[in-house]
Amino acid sequence: MLKNLFKPRSGPRIGDDLYAKAVAQARNPAFYTQMGVADRIDARFELYTLHVLLLVLRVRDEDTAQGRDTAQAVFDVYVSALDNALREEGVGDVSVGKKMRKLGEAVYGRMNAYEAPLRGGDAAVLAEAMARNVYGEPQAEHAGALANYALASRSALGQQDFKAVLATPAWAEV
């Protein structure tokens, strides 16, 4: 019984690695220079959430215990990173809970807004949600391009073998 207590877990490491890959993709300068995403913390949060969701959906689509565990590990690392970011900005322990609740609601809101159109391939609905969330305006010029990128990434990730996704996720060209 004690052996299991000290046994290294692969879940968090997989989550850390996939989260880092999602963040690296979300930091691609083309989002900011070609797709008009503002280089602000709130816009980066939106891109991080989108890329984490794309990976979570892909690994969860595997419909195995490993896929579900990996999806949960990625999500857990993302939530932990949000908590760490708040603390690094100097948010006190008393306020962290309230701010994390707001961030959690935002993350779940984005994921709920994006999941159905990503699964259904509905670029118009996805572009509308992205215009509102990423660009902060209902008729954002580049929202359609970002939605098409997200759908292309969903497709590219879906065509990859599960182990290939874990090693190097296939993102679409920005």
Side-chain angles (χ1 to χ4, degrees):
M1 180 149 90
L2 288 177
K3 281 192 247 180
N4 289 336
L5 181 63
F6 297 107
K7 183 178 170 184
R9 295 185 203 170
S10 61
R13 280 191 227 137
I14 290 170
D16 289 339
D17 189 47
L18 282 176
Y19 173 70
K21 290 172 180 171
V23 167
Q25 181 63 16
R27 288 181 176 165
N28 184 328
F31 288 115
Y32 307 96
T33 59
Q34 296 171 17
M35 290 202 181
V37 176
D39 190 11
R40 298 186 320 254
I41 193 163
D42 57 327
R44 285 184 298 236
F45 163 80
E46 298 294 343
L47 288 179
Y48 293 174
T49 301
L50 172 64
H51 286 88
V52 166
L53 176 61
L54 287 166
L55 282 177
V56 165
L57 290 176
R58 170 55 188 96
V59 297
R60 201 179 342 144
D61 285 346
E62 200 64 23
D63 201 26
T64 63
Q66 184 182 14
R68 288 185 297 277
D69 291 348
T70 301
Q72 188 62 54
V74 173
F75 185 77
D76 290 348
V77 170
Y78 183 38
V79 170
S80 178
L82 291 173
D83 182 88
N84 290 339
L86 286 175
R87 292 176 190 281
E88 286 176 7
E89 287 186 12
V91 175
D93 288 339
V94 175
S95 300
V96 167
K98 290 178 187 177
K99 291 193 182 277
M100 278 303 296
R101 186 173 346 144
K102 282 187 176 188
L103 278 174
E105 289 170 1
V107 167
Y108 280 114
R110 293 338 180 253
M111 290 185 169
N112 284 331
Y114 300 158
E115 184 173 0
L118 281 169
R119 288 191 182 280
D122 192 338
V125 171
L126 188 57
E128 185 179 303
M130 290 184 165
R132 184 177 57 251
N133 296 323
V134 177
Y135 296 98
E137 52 189 75
Q139 302 296 324
E141 176 185 349
H142 298 289
L146 185 57
N148 289 333
Y149 160 81
L151 289 169
S153 288
R154 169 102 170 116
S155 176
L157 290 166
Q159 293 173 19
Q160 271 189 299
D161 174 74
F162 182 73
K163 290 186 185 219
V165 171
L166 299 181
T168 309
W171 306 106
E173 283 293 315
V174 180

